[in-house]
Amino acid sequence: MATHSGSSNRTGVGAPAPRPPEQVRNVALVGRAGAGKTTLAEALLAAAGALPRAGRVEEGTTCLDTEEVEVRLQHSVSLAAATVEHAGHRVTLLDTPGAPDFVGELRAALRAADAALVVVSAVAGVDAGTVQLWDECAAVGLPRAVVVTQVDRPRADVPAVVRSCRELFGAGVHPLHVLGDDGALTSLLEPRPGNPERDRLRAELIEGVIAESEDETLMDRYLAGEPIGVADLVADLETAVARGDFHPVLCAAPPTGLGVAELLDVLVSAFPSPLERPCPAVARPDGRPAGHVGCDPAGPLVAEVVKTTTTDPYLGRVSLVRVFSGTLRPDVPVHVGSHGSGWGEQHPDHDADERVGGLASVLGSVLRPVAECPAGDLCAVARLSSAETGDTLSDPEHPLVVRPWPLPDPQLPVAVEAASRSDEDRLAGALTRLAVEDPAVRVERRPDTGQLLLWCVGDAHADVLLDRLRGRYGVAVQTPPVQVPMVETLAGPATVTGRHVKQSGGHGQYAVVVLEGRPGAAGSGVTFSQRVVGGAVPTQFHASVEKGVRAQAARGISGNRPLVDVEVVLVDGKAHSVDSSDAAFSAAGALALRELAAAAGTRVLEPWCAVEVTVPAEHVGPVLGDLAGRRARVTGSVADPAREGTTVHAEVPERELITYPRALRSVSHGTGRFTRRPLGHEPAPAAVVADLQPA
């Protein structure tokens, strides 16, 4: 959401005036990349008079795709918003990325929206990725409609797409318009007898609307043959859509304007207002419930940051905010509340009181000042220096917190390092700003390898983040191979003597220890005990021997690989009344552990992970084949007949998971997802060990 304030040659009008909630519509445009979401949004903005003409994705002139990377790739990679006025209503369109890597941006839009418009290409049709997006909307209970775009292109097949929508989305899918052989749209709400197929579709539409109607007499009137007027149907259409089981289908060809005006009218007349969408649950900062919060401009202030931009040179940090309750006004103190533990250590808890800067209605990258933002609406807020995506704005006297929406778990690690010393100074700040803007990013400095890892959702996500580091923030970075930390354990039992004896003029150093060592249980780490008889090693030095053993185990014996899962027992030794010391016995313990490793030999262990892979049923075979090539052990699978999907459970070496996100994307055609959790260490095969040896 790169932003600037003031006028623009792309905008023809000022900001729409604030409206009461019943005259507000917040709609997320959802669909796969290439379905035409941004093109449709541009046409809607132009039809509403907000733009003098619609921009073109191919030319990089759209109002909503303003990032350099979006212009170059010709598709959206972040959430963008635009508010317009139509028929006395404020309509905010939330354009979302279609690639699976940017599902975090999609979920932010679904939190801000009151309904979703699922965009489907009349040429490409409905694929498994579109079904996943539909399920994302269903998971949060968002009312949905379908718009079939690109109906004017060769090979467009609208009836086939509508049939696919009904098969995959459910029986609640009903066309609202039909496309005639002459390319014209006609409404099924209007009675036009004479076409049996049209009559059938109209009857199904009317029955679907009446089934959701609150007017119990409407069905009786319909069954009795009484004509149902268009006004009655339109009045109940909004109720039907708001309940979430009725999904109208519309058609549009944005370049020619076909269906665009009709769609705008439907957004206003048939889509739910914020009053018909429950507000998210809120709590007090200490976790206690705060009671019900409704969409009331006079109620307590509850607003949520759904998008953050940190790159505006004049306004600083700009927050896109959805107001659920109360009214947000400029120059008023607000409490910026953290999101609890919902997003983990990457976004820690924080609480601060700040004064709101200017408020603006958004039109892509343009900010148009507004006097206030009442419940149900969205606005941009400037200079909230502590606010991050997912934070709650509330009354400082009565602070509240909204639990954040779920984020995708990034599974693709990318190692980054500064290309020069001057870049090192800027890299940390740039990564912090990336994490503020995109909560789906996780930044980790691994203590075992020392590498700085940028955890991403997938390859496309990683490419965009690296592009922003290099372009937006001017940081030259390199991406070395990701290192998987290996460890070692003893190959067998052994007993050794460690001698640390030195004389250098004054007090010398004298310590002799005898250690027994053997492999320990998996996951046991380093266990130390003593079985010294007769005080051969004085009690006060036992802890020093243990300290030396543990320090040497952490440093590793060879290749900087820590020694783990070993049992070490101090059984004997010698001390000197003058020259023995804690430092001497610590050094002797470390030396003895090295001798143990030399005598018993060591085995290299590699980390394994438990993995859950979820894919449509038709991709299970390729997924299993790919896992087999990664030395995986498949432990089971669970089918989900409702969505025709399967979850495969497997155990996989972590080394094999470095490239797995892109491989899964390939074998599942972008429909697969997976999670992992650490499982422990197992002996690495000879080929892996050989690969670790320096050339």
Side-chain angles (χ1 to χ4, degrees), residues 508-642:
Q509 299 181 49
Y510 187 93
V512 178
V513 298
V514 179
L515 298 184
E516 289 182 357
R518 64 181 62 86
S524 62
V526 177
T527 61
F528 181 89
S529 60
Q530 61 85 23
R531 203 169 61 243
V532 178
V533 178
V537 177
T539 304
Q540 68 265 30
F541 296 132
H542 292 179
S544 300
V545 177
E546 180 178 2
K547 180 180 178 181
V549 167
R550 292 188 180 279
Q552 184 64 58
R555 289 193 297 270
I557 305 300
S558 60
N560 296 320
R561 291 186 288 270
L563 195 68
V564 301
D565 299 344
V566 294
E567 297 179 8
V568 178
V569 183
L570 173 63
V571 296
D572 201 358
K574 294 181 181 180
H576 189 277
S577 59
V578 175
D579 292 343
S580 290
S581 64
D582 288 329
F585 272 98
S586 178
L591 174 62
L593 188 67
R594 295 196 296 270
E595 296 289 344
L596 265 178
T602 59
R603 292 184 301 172
V604 176
L605 306 178
E606 60 178 336
W608 280 61
C609 295
V611 172
E612 293 185 1
V613 186
T614 302
V615 291
E618 63 267 24
H619 298 309
V620 171
V623 166
L624 292 175
D626 181 76
L627 286 173
R630 296 176 185 275
R631 300 186 283 133
R633 296 189 296 259
V634 176
T635 58
S637 62
V638 179
D640 179 8

